[in-house]
Amino acid sequence: MQFIESERKKAIDEKLQTVSQKIAALWAVQCAEHVIRYFDQERPKDNRPRKAVDAARAWARGRINVGDARKTAFAAHAAARAAKSDAAIAAARAAGQAAATAHMTGHAIHASTYAAKSVFHATDGDLKAVDQERMWQYDRLCELALFIKDD
């Protein structure tokens, strides 16, 4: 898929190298939240991806430990396996990767890629929509890097 290794993705990768794990996690949360509706539309009673997003945010704020965040990441991936549509699957995986960022910063980029995949599938392969998603992701990352101070 063309958007996986796009120029925008490369710019995101480069910017991620300059931020803390906490900022990366908060950004991954935003990426997952941006598409989680695709999962919710299909499985409205399954809150595992939302719990993963909440856990990633809680970890970044120092409210839970890495192990607890990882448990929610595994649960979100299990929710992805229960989903049927590609957009819902990718959205749940974005949430799982956001929570996994508490374990390793490198999971953040995967959250954004799964979010872009979710948009791709939700829009029947509209690459313009995917490019707009990647632009949105990059802008959010730059804003977080600018405005959030690490302790």
Side-chain angles (χ1 to χ4, degrees):
M1 291 182 189
Q2 169 185 356
F3 61 87
I4 292 176
E5 293 303 327
S6 68
E7 288 301 313
R8 292 202 197 283
K9 194 244 182 198
K10 289 177 189 173
I12 290 169
D13 273 332
E14 289 173 12
K15 187 67 178 175
L16 274 173
Q17 301 305 312
T18 70
V19 302
S20 69
Q21 187 172 6
K22 174 183 163 182
I23 290 172
L26 291 171
W27 173 72
V29 162
Q30 289 185 355
C31 291
E33 284 181 325
H34 205 229
V35 297
I36 203 164
R37 68 186 178 277
Y38 300 125
F39 181 84
D40 290 343
Q41 288 167 354
E42 182 179 312
R43 297 184 57 86
K45 294 183 181 179
D46 190 342
N47 64 359
R48 293 176 289 179
R50 285 203 177 269
K51 283 185 175 183
V53 167
D54 291 343
R57 186 180 292 108
W59 174 84
R61 293 177 176 161
R63 295 185 181 149
I64 67 169
N65 64 36
V66 172
D68 289 339
R70 286 184 76 201
K71 287 176 189 173
T72 67
F74 293 134
H77 288 296
R81 290 189 296 276
K84 302 284 186 252
S85 74
D86 290 333
I89 292 166
R93 292 207 182 282
Q97 293 294 333
T101 304
H103 174 248
M104 272 182 47
T105 307
H107 287 283
I109 192 66
H110 301 305
S112 73
T113 298
Y114 276 117
K117 285 181 181 182
S118 186
V119 168
F120 177 81
H121 293 298
T123 62
D124 295 324
D126 182 348
L127 293 178
K128 184 176 180 181
V130 173
D131 191 52
Q132 289 172 339
E133 176 68 16
R134 285 297 202 186
M135 278 192 313
W136 179 90
Q137 292 174 354
Y138 182 76
D139 290 345
R140 297 300 72 74
L141 181 56
C142 291
E143 286 174 8
L144 284 170
L146 184 62
F147 292 112
I148 294 193
K149 300 288 183 201
D150 286 318
D151 300 335

